[in-house]
Amino acid sequence: MDFSPILSLRTGSDAFAFVVTSTFVLASLLVGYFMLKKISTGKALPMASTSILEAVRGIGGADAPFFILGLSKKMKTLNFRLPIPLSLQGVYVIGDPKLAKEIQSDKTTGKPRALYKALDGASCGLKSLFNQPNNDYTKGIRKSTSHAFSKNEVGRMNEIALKHVNRWLQERSNLDTPFDPAHEMTRITFFSICEAAFEYEATEEEFADFAHVSEVSLREFGVKQVSNPLRGTFIGNFIPSVREAHRCAAKSMEFARRVLEAYRKNPNKSKQNTLIKLIEGADVLANNDAEKVSNANMYLVAGMDTTGYSLSNTMVFLAKHQVVQDKLRRELANAGDKRPEDVPYFVCVVKEGNRVLPVASMNPWRQAGRAFELDGLVVPKGALILMPAILTNYDSRLFEDPETYRPERWENASKEMIEAAHPFSYGTRNCIGQSLAMAEINSILPKLVSRFVLDLVDEGKPDFFLTSKFAGARLKIRAV
């Protein structure tokens, strides 16, 4: 399998075609914009006071969640439209928790293939669970692989994750140098998933390479091209960062190919329902090695980021708020034989971290399969809908002083609060690996906090590309 894309620069007559096509595309954008303005009267949600270019840059950048949050604050509403002509029915941002849940749970509403086609680039043009609409293909993969996330399998993966954590703590406890929690927690998660889910012994070099190439490719295909589809046309051949993203996607797929080949050659395959075993045996992927590789690749990317960043974000919050960290340590010490998820304050700490900086800050796009209504305002059928978790999580009607990190707010949480701050989305396309993410948080975080004090050296800065993390954060640990 050769995943190297064919990238060729156009010269001569093609340069003329580039100018003509670009002019046509820009003209189409302007026509689309004025069409949206024309149909924006009546019961439509208010239009954000920002330009097309500002909106495209905003939702395609590293500050995307906070760009949306800023627009919401400026307009004093959780629900509005963006002036991006990606659909004649309009582009809608929905932050009302009840409406967001209704849309995500609606069976007629799914991922817009026109936008998610950009993710094809991350799989070198191949199909996977993550770039396809809700159809027989994706249902077949979810059904075939669901046993890999059963309680027994997640428990087994947890044991392996704890082994890697113990090894890391043993190495780190003798060092007084700061570390990057996002890097270290994704590293631990990567090795844990490779060993437990893919029956593969990865090397440090493979982790460093995979972490780099997957980030480069997903920033392009998962964020930039979703908000700016022009980058996915032949115009992308003229953009160095697009060409580099294609190269990185091919390297990411090459690693997944090595994982699949190593599994096939392994004479001592696990009898457990490992993810690689279920991908290999999935009926919907029968006789299609390329798509087995593309699905393995995206499962690893999604699991590594979601779990690793959930852990690291909470670690930063605890290091920044020593009073909370001290209280959590006392509560865990007094819990006896209780599981961490049965310790009320631990649950509050995890929920609050996921609320203030949710890993899936923007949540996936949807295309309305029917019309939705809120207070007499209509989201029409066919509209493209973005439901950023950052908006529902910062709803001041539900969360007093929402920008403040305060775990105690969850001690007497209302039903509306719980439903609003839902980190893994709703409906049939929710996060398939959420059980793994929460299980690792419930096992790794208590172990860290019980034995060590987390000290903040540098808070870093929130950074987004599909998932959110504190980029550049630095922590130290010392024995309790």
Side-chain angles (χ1 to χ4, degrees), residues 332-354:
L332 289 170
N334 294 331
D337 295 330
K338 283 185 179 180
R339 299 179 304 171
E341 56 266 42
D342 293 328
V343 178
Y345 194 66
F346 175 78
V347 175
C348 293
V349 167
V350 173
K351 282 182 176 291
E352 185 68 349
N354 284 334

Side-chain angles (χ1 to χ4, degrees), residues 23-39:
T23 303
F24 172 76
V25 169
L26 289 173
S28 299
L29 286 174
L30 290 173
V31 170
Y33 174 73
F34 286 112
M35 287 181 70
L36 288 178
K37 295 288 284 186
K38 185 175 180 180
I39 64 174

Side-chain angles (χ1 to χ4, degrees), residues 435-467:
S435 57
L436 172 62
M438 291 309 302
E440 289 206 10
I441 291 169
N442 292 342
S443 61
I444 293 176
L445 194 61
K447 189 177 189 68
L448 283 173
V449 174
S450 297
R451 293 174 54 189
F452 297 92
V453 176
L454 298 167
D455 290 321
L456 184 68
V457 178
D458 190 334
E459 183 179 349
K461 180 182 178 182
D463 176 80
F464 173 81
F465 77 100
L466 294 185
T467 48

